[in-house]
Amino acid sequence: MEISLLTCSPGNELYSLFGHTAIRIRDARRGMDIVYNYGTFDDSDPLFYFYFTRGIMQYSLSVSTFKDFMVEYEFEHRTVVAQILNLTCEEKNRLYESLRKNTMDENRLYQYYFLSDNCTTRAARIIESNTNDSLIYRDIFPVNSSVVPHSAESLISGPGMTYRDMIHIYLDREHQDWPEFGIDMLLGKNLDIKPSNIEAIHFLPDYLYKGMDSAQDGSKAMVSERNTLLQFPETKMSAGWFTPMLFFMGILLLSIVLYFFRNNRNAAISLLIFDFLFFTLLGLIGLLMTYMWLGRIDDVCRNNINILWALPTHIIAIFFIRKKAAWVKYYFLITAILAAILFIGFPFGLQRMNKAVLPILVIIIFRSYMLYKNRNHAKKLTVQG
């Protein structure tokens, strides 16, 4: 029997950008060549996206023939590399039985967590739990070559590498600017945690590959051989011109132009509409952030400092934007101050924010201050601010 860890290269679709991990079992004597895949999920459920936003994602372990498994990766031109595991007969049988047992209906489902329990995590853990000796991973980061047993709660991390950095490597390579903006906006400060060596290995397929490649099972190397099963030249998506930065810079320019022509009746009306739509959008984004913060069962969207510029209270404030009430005036002053603090502290913030937030902050400061300065902005069509 031969057992291999399969590492599949990233695809071009968002769901496949981080690659994939699976386990192959081949036994010529039994005529068996199958793949165990922890990355299976059912998106046919009409409530799938509702559960997805709440972090309630039921993934499962599935089994397919090796030939069927490879069809998808050949069609998508994605490289697949096999690391043949250097296991004893006892370890192979135990790992195979564990995988077979986990495909039973009562065992195959598991709760997916993006950072801490995904298809890579599951593949790594089941291999680790079926070795006779403590599996030892060398540090996969460039700095610090310590040897860390997988059972230890290692505090070793790379030189400043965070979960967000690891994700950005893949998103930047494929020029996925809008998905990166969305991830940076909705996922909170916990994404800026520096993972330990074992946490990094368990997170993404490429990191598990790197960790397994130098791992020791007792006195022997964990990987006995590496085979490239499918090889395709690396393809990258071309950079698009319509980026979040360009889009929000355009919105900023529009707000400035409308302001300079504010004495024109049509421009004044347009500026009023601009403020209403802009702060409405910010409020809706803030409500989404609040829902993701409070509604998800995991903590990946909590402690999100972005909510300080996308205040959910804007949804209420916009309906008083033409009123002269003192609280409205000072509400927009506070809004401008919060945005200014975020702008000044952008390079030093407790949470790393997407660079496309900068023009949004400038718009918030500019328009909020103008609304504070002149409460007649929207009531009279010939406003001064």
Side-chain angles (χ1 to χ4, degrees), residues 164 168 184-185 192 304-307 309 341-343 345-346 349-358 361:
R164 197 183 304 273
H168 277 196
D184 286 343
M185 181 178 65
D192 295 313
N304 190 353
I305 293 176
N306 285 294
I307 204 168
W309 59 262
I341 291 172
L342 291 175
F343 185 87
F346 187 85
L350 296 175
Q351 175 181 324
R352 181 175 169 188
M353 292 190 292
N354 194 281
K355 62 184 179 180
V357 169
L358 289 173
L361 293 176

Side-chain angles (χ1 to χ4, degrees), residues 55-68:
I56 305 175
M57 292 179 285
Q58 288 281 310
Y59 273 54
S60 67
L61 173 62
S62 64
V63 59
S64 63
T65 66
F66 173 71
K67 182 178 179 181
D68 288 343

Side-chain angles (χ1 to χ4, degrees), residues 177-182 241-249 354 356 359:
D177 300 298
W178 282 101
E180 184 173 302
F181 175 76
W241 65 270
F242 187 63
T243 64
M245 176 61 79
L246 182 63
F247 175 74
F248 293 118
M249 287 296 294
N354 194 281

Side-chain angles (χ1 to χ4, degrees), residues 47-337:
L47 295 177
F48 173 79
Y49 289 104
F50 169 74
Y51 291 134
F52 177 81
T53 58
R54 291 203 57 216
I56 305 175
M57 292 179 285
Q58 288 281 310
Y59 273 54
S60 67
L61 173 62
S62 64
V63 59
S64 63
T65 66
F66 173 71
K67 182 178 179 181
D68 288 343
F69 177 83
M70 295 293 284
V71 166
E72 175 184 355
Y73 296 94
E74 188 167 9
F75 177 76
E76 295 181 359
H77 288 200
R78 294 169 61 185
T79 297
V80 179
V81 178
Q83 292 168 297
I84 299 176
L85 303 182
N86 189 15
L87 302 172
T88 65
C89 290
E90 178 191 353
E91 290 171 328
K92 291 177 183 178
N93 288 327
R94 193 162 67 233
L95 177 54
Y96 171 61
E97 285 301 317
S98 294
L99 288 165
R100 193 177 63 82
K101 182 179 180 181
N102 282 340
T103 57
M104 296 179 180
D105 289 342
E106 62 269 26
N107 300 324
R108 66 185 184 86
L109 295 176
Y110 71 97
Q111 175 60 43
Y112 177 96
Y113 293 104
F114 178 54
L115 297 183
S116 60
D117 197 356
N118 54 49
C119 56
T120 299
T121 314
R122 290 276 164 160
R125 285 176 178 167
I126 200 166
I127 293 171
E128 294 163 359
S129 63
N130 286 283
T131 56
N132 290 331
D133 299 299
S134 293
L135 184 61
I136 298 175
Y137 291 114
R138 294 188 181 276
D139 191 351
I140 64 172
F141 292 106
V143 176
N144 196 331
S145 59
S146 301
V147 178
V148 184
H150 74 82
S151 58
E153 292 295 329
S154 169
L155 298 178
I156 296 175
S157 63
M161 180 77 74
T162 65
Y163 283 114
R164 197 183 304 273
D165 293 324
M166 296 165 75
I167 292 170
H168 277 196
I169 290 172
Y170 294 86
L171 296 172
D172 290 341
R173 182 178 62 183
E174 298 297 332
H175 304 290
Q176 294 282 349
D177 300 298
W178 282 101
E180 184 173 302
F181 175 76
I183 288 173
D184 286 343
M185 181 178 65
L186 293 177
L187 275 60
K189 185 178 180 298
N190 291 335
L191 206 63
D192 295 313
I193 294 172
K194 298 176 185 179
S196 66
N197 189 60
I198 189 64
E199 287 170 337
I201 288 171
H202 283 184
F203 179 40
L204 293 175
D206 286 341
Y207 290 83
L208 176 58
Y209 175 90
K210 188 174 181 180
M212 196 66 71
D213 211 43
S214 60
Q216 294 285 129
D217 178 14
S219 61
K220 68 181 189 296
M222 189 62 186
V223 174
S224 62
E225 187 179 339
R226 301 163 201 81
N227 295 320
T228 300
L229 306 178
L230 280 177
Q231 178 71 61
F232 293 101
E234 184 177 350
T235 58
K236 297 182 181 180
M237 293 183 64
S238 57
W241 65 270
F242 187 63
T243 64
M245 176 61 79
L246 182 63
F247 175 74
F248 293 118
M249 287 296 294
I251 299 298
L252 173 59
L253 179 61
L254 175 62
S255 69
I256 294 172
V257 170
L258 290 175
Y259 174 75
F260 278 111
F261 289 95
R262 63 193 180 279
N263 291 323
N264 175 274
R265 180 181 177 85
N266 291 332
I269 295 174
S270 298
L271 192 56
L272 170 62
I273 295 173
F274 175 91
D275 287 339
F276 185 85
L277 293 177
F278 178 70
F279 285 104
T280 297
L281 179 60
L282 292 187
L284 291 174
I285 293 173
L287 288 176
L288 177 60
M289 289 180 185
T290 303
Y291 169 73
M292 299 288 277
W293 185 329
L294 301 177
R296 285 184 66 93
I297 63 174
D298 58 11
D299 62 359
V300 74
C301 293
R302 295 175 193 167
N303 306 319
N304 190 353
I305 293 176
N306 285 294
I307 204 168
L308 294 179
W309 59 262
L311 294 170
T313 50
H314 289 333
I315 289 296
I316 298 174
I318 55 172
F319 293 104
F320 297 88
I321 204 168
R322 300 182 66 184
K323 306 296 181 181
K324 291 186 176 181
W327 74 265
V328 179
K329 176 180 179 180
Y330 291 107
Y331 175 86
F332 284 106
L333 176 61
I334 293 171
T335 298
I337 291 172

